[in-house]
Amino acid sequence: MSIISTLINGLSMGAVYALIALGYTMVYGIAKMLNFAHGDVIMVGSYVLFLFTMKIIKNPFVAIFMAIVFCVILGILVERIAYRPLRGAPSLAVLITAIGVSFFLQSVAQLIFTVTPKQVPMFNFKAIELGGVTIKMESIITLAVGIIVMIVLTLFVNKSKAGRAMLAVSEDRGAAQLMGVNVNRTIAITFAIGSALAALASVFMLFVAPVTNPTLGAMPGIKAFVAAVLGGIGSIPGAAVGGLILGIVEQLALRYEFLAPYSDAIVFAILIVVLLVKPSGILGKKRHEKV
């Protein structure tokens, strides 16, 4: 594989990490909590894709639409049932709840679908040749859709009424509420958007490897969290930058035999270095906690 193909695959994988990281960073920026169940929403989306691609309608486009709808509903329900009652609780209680939701979703998936991996062939794309370089069509589509989603999301947050409400809640939840912003609805919208992005990420992950299992979202979710921290958790552009950097670094490591077995370790080493050198991340801002 040429270095150009490696870089394109890295950008493609980075776009997937960025989509997942956007869910982390939006929830943290607005609700000030880390939703560690976010990776498992990807897994749920992949099983919805499996059902609608292989069992029910057998149409990949309908399957993608249904995965987004189902994940959005799931995200809203998780926020309403698990997290909203803990709105004023200590951060540790919320974190433990998020881990509990993660294990709950994995366990339900195991009960329904068993632990046996399920094949989910989405599309059969052909690779293209450009200047002697072989490029996977899946990589191009993933990168293009990822860029479009990030641009649309940025415009939504900065230009729409709901987006401005998100920014207000992010800056000062109490003041936003006094100004008439419905905080509960704003946070629910944030979870819905994050879950929709997770459903899209599940599609692109199945492009890479068309197999799903109950722990599918665990490692990508953790890596996306690293991407969010790297870019600056709470920053939408930061999540995009962090995801792309992480994807390129991972693919470059996999390119060389002596580094390939340590690709995951390299990712987490980056997290440690960032936390030591610049805890706020590349594009993150330092926040002063009120006591």
Side-chain angles (χ1 to χ4, degrees):
M1 184 185 293
S2 69
I3 188 67
I4 296 176
S5 297
T6 300
L7 289 174
I8 291 174
N9 289 340
L11 288 170
S12 170
M13 198 66 228
V16 177
Y17 289 147
L19 286 175
I20 307 169
L22 283 168
Y24 277 114
T25 208
M26 287 183 68
V27 169
Y28 179 81
I30 293 164
K32 299 296 181 292
M33 62 161 288
L34 293 172
N35 179 22
F36 279 116
H38 187 61
D40 297 288
V41 178
I42 301 168
M43 174 271 295
V44 171
S46 70
Y47 275 113
V48 176
L49 290 168
F50 165 72
L51 288 175
F52 280 89
T53 302
M54 306 300 295
K55 302 293 184 181
I56 302 176
I57 298 179
K58 299 184 179 180
N59 184 309
F61 295 103
V62 174
I64 291 170
F65 174 76
M66 293 305 299
I68 293 171
V69 170
F70 193 90
C71 287
V72 166
I73 294 171
L74 175 63
I76 293 172
L77 287 175
V78 167
E79 189 278 329
R80 181 67 184 86
I81 297 171
Y83 298 140
R84 190 177 297 183
L86 300 174
R87 194 63 52 80
S91 56
L92 182 60
V94 181
L95 180 62
I96 292 170
T97 301
I99 295 171
V101 172
S102 173
F103 283 119
F104 173 78
L105 293 176
Q106 290 182 25
S107 300
V108 170
Q110 288 181 23
L111 287 172
I112 297 173
F113 298 101
T114 74
V115 296
T116 306
K118 308 293 183 185
Q119 293 287 330
V120 194
M122 294 293 296
F123 298 98
N124 186 20
F125 295 113
K126 292 183 179 179
I128 59 174
E129 295 279 344
L130 286 176
V133 177
T134 302
I135 302 173
K136 295 178 181 179
M137 183 58 71
E138 295 97 319
S139 298
I140 296 175
I141 293 172
T142 302
L143 183 57
V145 173
I147 291 171
I148 291 169
V149 167
M150 290 169 209
I151 292 171
V152 170
L153 185 60
T154 302
L155 291 174
F156 170 79
V157 170
N158 292 321
K159 302 295 183 182
S160 70
K161 183 178 179 180
R164 289 194 294 271
M166 290 178 182
L167 292 174
V169 174
S170 174
E171 287 296 325
D172 192 319
R173 186 186 301 174
Q177 194 163 15
L178 289 173
M179 295 300 292
V181 174
N182 189 325
V183 172
N184 287 333
R185 184 174 64 187
T186 301
I187 293 176
I189 291 172
T190 305
F191 270 83
I193 293 172
S195 299
L197 295 174
L200 277 178
S202 70
V203 175
F204 299 134
M205 285 181 62
L206 292 175
F207 280 0
V208 177
V211 180
T212 185
N213 61 74
T215 59
L216 173 75
M219 185 57 74
I222 294 172
K223 289 181 179 178
F225 173 69
V226 173
V229 174
L230 173 61
I233 194 160
S235 167
I236 290 176
V241 170
L244 293 175
I245 291 174
L246 208 65
I248 292 171
V249 169
E250 186 179 61
Q251 289 300 311
L252 286 173
L254 291 171
R255 175 182 168 82
Y256 301 101
E257 272 188 46
F258 69 98
L259 286 177
Y262 310 106
S263 59
D264 289 344
I266 291 170
V267 167
F268 298 120
I270 290 173
L271 173 62
I272 294 170
V273 171
V274 169
L275 290 175
L276 289 173
V277 177
K278 197 174 187 297
S280 58
I282 296 171
L283 300 179
K285 297 178 182 178
K286 288 185 179 179
R287 291 180 178 270
H288 299 284
E289 298 292 335
K290 294 179 181 179
V291 180

